[in-house]
Amino acid sequence: RKKCLLCNNVLMIVAASIMGCSKISKSFEMILVGRFMCGVSLCVPLHHQYVGEISPKKLRGFANSTSSFFWTLGKAIGQITGQRELLGSQTLWPVLMASCGLPALVQLITLPFFPESPPYLLMHKGDQEGCKKAIRQLWGEGQHQAEIDDIMKEKATMKNTKILSVLELVKEPSFRWQLYMIVILTATIQLCGINAV
């Protein structure tokens, strides 16, 4: 999880650099490439997964809601700083385009000091000691055996569950309507008015 987030941050910094240099290079194609790279990045789902897994159970819902909050806050800050009086001017718009690299840079610098996700360490790596160490680092000293037992139960449940590939998921008739709904909701989210709010 952590390595994937770090790689994603590198991708965002590269995208921000490409967009920031587009005016100097006199290339609008660089903006298109940079925006495409930002769209390909996995920021939102990775944030949800990592933050949800490193949070104690009682704070998990709150921690997962931070993604939506900061996503909306980022949009609001982008719209405010995009005004002509701030960074939306003829000379400063490349700085505005490159500003998406700033949060990625902050996360790239700070994330190595955070431990790997405890469920990932235990379920995928089989590293029980690493899991305990990560839990102590994240949640402090104390009895965390109940959380470890919950992760072990989840691991036992996952053993009996067949994980589908993307192609198998698309072909599976029992998931078809759920898949249609997710695609429609995701495709039309920009039409719901969240940007106006």
Side-chain angles (χ1 to χ4, degrees):
R1 311 281 191 255
K2 194 167 88 168
K3 285 180 187 173
C4 197
L5 274 170
L6 287 168
C7 292
N8 193 62
N9 288 325
V10 171
L11 179 70
M12 287 299 291
I13 290 168
V14 169
S17 302
I18 289 171
M19 289 188 293
C21 295
S22 62
K23 186 176 182 184
I24 297 167
S25 304
K26 295 186 170 99
S27 170
F28 73 90
E29 293 90 354
M30 290 175 74
I31 297 173
L32 298 175
V33 169
R35 290 302 303 151
F36 178 77
M37 289 171 73
C38 286
V40 168
S41 74
L42 302 168
C43 296
V44 175
L46 282 175
H47 173 84
H48 272 294
Q49 190 170 19
Y50 184 71
V51 169
E53 288 181 358
I54 66 170
S55 303
K57 206 176 224 179
K58 61 184 175 189
L59 296 176
R60 202 162 287 158
F62 171 75
N64 277 330
S65 69
T66 60
S67 177
S68 302
F69 171 75
F70 284 111
W71 189 25
T72 307
L73 182 66
K75 282 185 171 191
I77 289 171
Q79 289 178 352
I80 291 166
T81 56
Q83 298 298 313
R84 255 184 238 114
E85 294 80 16
L86 298 172
L87 296 178
S89 66
Q90 186 84 21
T91 54
L92 292 176
W93 68 261
V95 176
L96 179 65
M97 296 295 286
S99 65
C100 67
L102 187 62
L105 182 63
V106 169
Q107 193 175 53
L108 190 65
I109 292 167
T110 58
L111 197 59
F113 298 104
F114 285 81
E116 186 57 83
S117 154
Y120 174 76
L121 288 170
L122 190 58
M123 292 170 65
H124 297 283
K125 296 286 186 181
D127 184 5
Q128 193 160 3
E129 282 308 309
C131 175
K132 287 178 183 176
K133 184 180 174 190
I135 286 175
R136 279 194 301 272
Q137 186 179 347
L138 288 165
W139 306 340
E141 294 297 328
Q143 284 291 7
H144 303 296
Q145 191 58 43
E147 284 87 355
I148 293 171
D149 291 342
D150 284 347
I151 296 169
M152 291 301 283
K153 284 178 194 169
E154 189 178 341
K155 183 179 180 180
T157 305
M158 292 293 285
K159 267 186 187 172
N160 301 328
T161 306
K162 183 182 184 279
I163 296 174
L164 300 174
S165 69
V166 175
L167 190 59
E168 289 171 332
L169 179 68
V170 171
K171 288 181 177 179
E172 181 63 44
S174 62
F175 296 128
R176 194 152 295 143
W177 283 107
Q178 293 92 324
L179 195 61
Y180 289 157
M181 289 303 296
I182 289 170
V183 169
I184 289 168
L185 285 171
T186 305
T188 58
I189 192 108
Q190 296 300 319
L191 305 175
C192 75
I194 189 69
N195 291 338
V197 171

